[in-house]
Amino acid sequence: MKTLKSILLVFALTGLISCADNDSDKYADYLVARPLTMSLEEFKNSVDIITPVPIDESGKIYAYQDLIFVNDKYKGVHVIDNSDPTAPRKVAFIKIAGNVDISIKDNYLYADSLTDLIVLDISDIDNIRIVNRLENVLRDNVIWPMEADIFEYDGWGDPNQVLIGWEVTTERRLVEEVQMRFENVLMMDAAANSIGQGGSLARFKIVGDFLYAVDNHSINVFDITDLGNPQDLEDVFAGFDIETIFNQGDHLFLGSRSGMYIYDITNPAQPGFVSEFQHGTACDPVVVDGDYAYVTLRGGNNCGATESGLFVIDIADLSNPELLKFYPMEEPYGLGVKDDRVFVCDGSFGLKVFDKSNVPDLTQVQHFQDITTFDVIPLSQHLLMVGEEVLHQYTYSDTGIELLSSFSLN
């Protein structure tokens, strides 16, 4: 990591230049990422449960019984009492440095803190307890902000400091300067009621007595038979740039920037490779419903692709996934499936609802515009969707969904 000082990571210069000055092409707006750090000592003592706080940056969403958990990227998890979906309320904030994901079984919450796995007892939501910390078991779990155009590392690299996340800002830069620095760029290859439910962006998944946590390259396998004392089993190398995990039956479906990987967990302690579906290079989550997988691809940034859209993939033969249809999107993130509906979070272009009763032919039946959407969970009775600092909930109807409530996370 030390060798990555003063690096600019820029993929396609012409594709990354946006919002050029109307009077001149000399300047352009870039998304610039800088590391967020804390001392090693502070990191080891960074887990705490405090009273509710405003959210800084909405991350992933997770549902468990009458509770909703919303990740605040790299900072921790907001805990929301959703026993009345028309009037949710914050009850606590779990501070966890470097956190991006959680999973829950039988009131035990598992959370990442960079390379560490944290275990908390949430059986009494008013008295959440830290019960375990497994150090350095998520060995390649540093998350890179793939939306960024430029990474700057100047002044970072102190061995007594820990990288816990990134601050991404929009900055005006001289195009010529960026082009000159790009000549010396270094490219990175990694730049049930007892179990909760995560969205399509999840990196954690509990199946039976096993927790699967994907990092950039591997499936980290934990035996959680003893819920408070997970056993770290042998990792399974799964490829490169793994981003998400989804489960259906005895199979895991991994979304990466180069494709979808399918693994057999008939032997749950040793996931076995089945097949892969390659789609080029793009950021992608995946959800599965029956004989079909739905994958969103987001291009136009360091994910690499130039097109964004929704793939419908035939997985009736798991050993040979086949693309059936591609639907263009603007900037898709998470997605979900329930009955005859597909829900796609299309970033700042809103929430889109499709009728899939005639797969692979999808028909858009609703479009909720003027909201920023990120992740979605179709529960049995209603739909959860987290956007830009707002939690939206929808009820199902014969024609689609209807807004039930909107809750500001601030």
Side-chain angles (χ1 to χ4, degrees):
M1 190 74 70
K2 296 179 184 177
T3 62
L4 298 180
K5 291 181 182 178
S6 303
I7 291 177
L8 289 177
L9 177 61
V10 185
F11 266 68
L13 287 175
T14 56
L16 295 176
I17 299 171
S18 61
C19 305
D21 192 296
N22 291 331
D23 300 324
S24 172
D25 290 334
K26 291 183 178 181
Y27 292 88
D29 288 341
Y30 295 90
L31 290 176
V32 181
R34 292 184 176 87
L36 298 173
T37 64
M38 67 168 48
S39 70
L40 184 60
E41 185 65 26
E42 186 181 2
F43 171 70
K44 290 181 177 180
N45 297 283
S46 62
V47 182
D48 195 10
I49 294 86
I50 63 174
T51 56
V53 297
I55 197 164
D56 184 45
E57 182 178 0
S58 301
K60 301 172 188 180
I61 186 172
Y62 193 92
Y64 177 73
Q65 297 180 353
D66 289 332
L67 298 172
I68 297 174
F69 300 82
V70 180
N71 167 250
D72 202 332
K73 291 181 73 172
Y74 313 128
K75 298 180 183 297
V77 183
H78 299 269
V79 185
I80 299 170
D81 181 346
N82 198 46
S83 52
D84 180 2
T86 64
R89 63 183 185 89
K90 286 185 178 181
V91 294
F93 180 67
I94 307 174
K95 291 178 60 178
I96 308 174
N99 172 255
V100 295
D101 224 326
I102 68 165
S103 199
I104 301 172
K105 179 179 181 182
D106 291 337
N107 290 319
Y108 280 85
L109 184 152
Y110 304 91
D112 64 327
S113 180
L114 295 182
T115 58
D116 295 354
L117 180 67
I118 311 298
V119 186
L120 301 103
D121 183 341
I122 61 167
S123 55
D124 180 356
I125 204 62
D126 295 319
N127 184 31
I128 299 172
R129 297 186 302 108
I130 304 164
V131 297
N132 208 338
R133 182 179 191 128
L134 283 68
E135 296 185 358
N136 199 34
V137 293
L138 302 170
R139 284 165 281 276
D140 193 19
N141 198 45
V142 177
I143 308 300
W144 299 87
M146 297 313 301
E147 73 276 12
D149 303 323
I150 297 171
F151 287 78
E152 290 196 343
Y153 293 79
D154 290 339
W156 178 67
D158 185 338
N160 295 315
Q161 294 288 311
V162 177
L163 173 68
I164 62 170
W166 301 88
E167 179 185 28
V168 181
T169 58
T170 300
E171 298 183 11
R172 200 76 164 161
R173 296 290 183 90
L174 271 169
V175 174
E176 182 180 4
E177 178 182 304
V178 174
Q179 290 174 334
M180 289 177 61
R181 298 179 69 179
F182 178 68
E183 293 177 359
N184 298 318
V185 74
L186 293 177
M187 308 304 292
M188 294 174 292
D189 63 359
N193 284 338
S194 65
I195 297 177
Q197 182 176 347
S200 63
L201 302 178
R203 295 172 70 95
F204 277 26
K205 187 66 184 179
I206 292 175
V207 183
D209 290 328
F210 290 82
L211 167 66
Y212 302 98
V214 294
D215 60 31
N216 288 332
H217 299 98
S218 303
I219 306 172
N220 299 273
V221 185
F222 300 91
D223 184 334
I224 56 171
T225 303
D226 182 349
L227 292 169
N229 187 32
Q231 300 301 303
D232 182 20
L233 305 183
E234 185 175 352
D235 298 347
V236 175
F237 180 78
F240 296 94
D241 302 318
I242 307 298
E243 297 181 322
T244 65
I245 184 170
F246 191 88
N247 164 246
Q248 178 174 267
D250 289 331
H251 292 88
L252 300 176
F253 298 82
L254 311 184
S256 81
R257 278 192 282 151
S258 60
M260 176 185 71
Y261 300 97
I262 302 175
Y263 277 78
D264 188 318
I265 52 171
T266 304
N267 179 355
Q270 296 179 321
F273 176 77
V274 176
S275 65
E276 67 178 296
F277 172 81
Q278 294 187 341
H279 55 53
T281 305
C283 299
D284 84 337
V286 54
V287 297
V288 176
D289 183 47
D291 289 336
Y292 302 98
Y294 302 85
V295 177
T296 53
L297 307 181
R298 189 173 73 261
N301 50 38
N302 282 343
C303 296
T306 56
E307 286 188 294
S308 296
L310 170 67
F311 275 154
V312 182
I313 303 168
D314 185 344
I315 57 168
D317 180 358
L318 289 170
S319 65
N320 186 34
E322 293 186 353
L323 174 64
L324 296 177
K325 211 151 189 179
F326 176 81
Y327 294 87
M329 297 286 162
E330 302 296 335
E331 50 179 32
Y333 285 82
L335 73 163
V337 175
K338 177 176 170 54
D339 300 329
D340 287 336
R341 296 288 184 265
V342 178
F343 309 95
V344 179
C345 294
D346 204 8
S348 61
F349 292 84
L351 176 65
K352 296 177 179 178
V353 183
F354 295 85
D355 185 323
K356 69 173 185 67
S357 56
N358 190 29
V359 182
D361 297 322
L362 307 184
T363 304
Q364 184 172 311
V365 293
Q366 286 179 295
H367 185 188
F368 294 82
Q369 303 183 60
D370 302 322
I371 55 174
T372 297
T373 60
F374 184 65
D375 201 6
V376 63
I377 300 179
L379 299 176
S380 59
Q381 300 300 317
H382 62 285
L383 183 84
L384 304 179
M385 193 277 290
V386 67
E388 191 172 29
E389 302 174 356
V390 179
L391 171 67
H392 301 278
Q393 301 191 60
Y394 301 85
T395 57
Y396 302 115
S397 68
D398 293 337
T399 57
I401 56 175
E402 298 176 359
L403 183 65
L404 176 64
S405 64
S406 294
F407 177 64
S408 173
L409 296 171
N410 283 325

